[in-house]
Amino acid sequence: MTVTDPNAGGITLSVTGSKVRGRQVADLTWSGANSANVDVYRDGAVIATTPNDGAYTDNINQRGGGSYVYQVCEAGTSTCSDLVTVSF
């Protein structure tokens, strides 16, 4: 879990990894974003633009181990959370 200073206007992101039927799933929760939508990044690439409701589930759909780096940004901007790594 990574926490940014909410007084600095940052986005706070938390990522929890689990496996569902042996496949990797990452649950993201965030706060501090002010836009209507956010961009969700995995390993530096946008994987989704989703409503800014504070939660997103990434069904990675891989088996076994691995690590992924996540970030949430206000859609179309450089206002982003810190990078958070989840490992399986």
Side-chain angles (χ1 to χ4, degrees), residues 13-86:
L13 174 64
S14 175
V15 183
T16 304
S18 62
K19 290 189 178 180
V20 177
R21 296 185 179 152
R23 298 193 181 270
Q24 300 166 349
V25 175
D27 290 311
L28 288 74
T29 57
W30 65 87
S31 63
N34 295 315
S35 60
N37 296 307
V38 296
D39 293 328
V40 177
Y41 290 81
R42 181 189 338 126
D43 295 335
V46 175
I47 58 168
T49 298
T50 186
N52 181 16
D53 59 8
Y56 178 78
T57 298
D58 181 19
N59 293 302
I60 303 164
N61 215 21
Q62 297 291 318
R63 293 186 181 272
S67 291
Y68 305 93
V69 178
Y70 287 93
Q71 188 173 44
V72 171
C73 300
E74 292 183 2
T77 75
S78 59
T79 302
C80 300
S81 69
D82 284 342
L83 300 173
V84 177
T85 301
V86 64

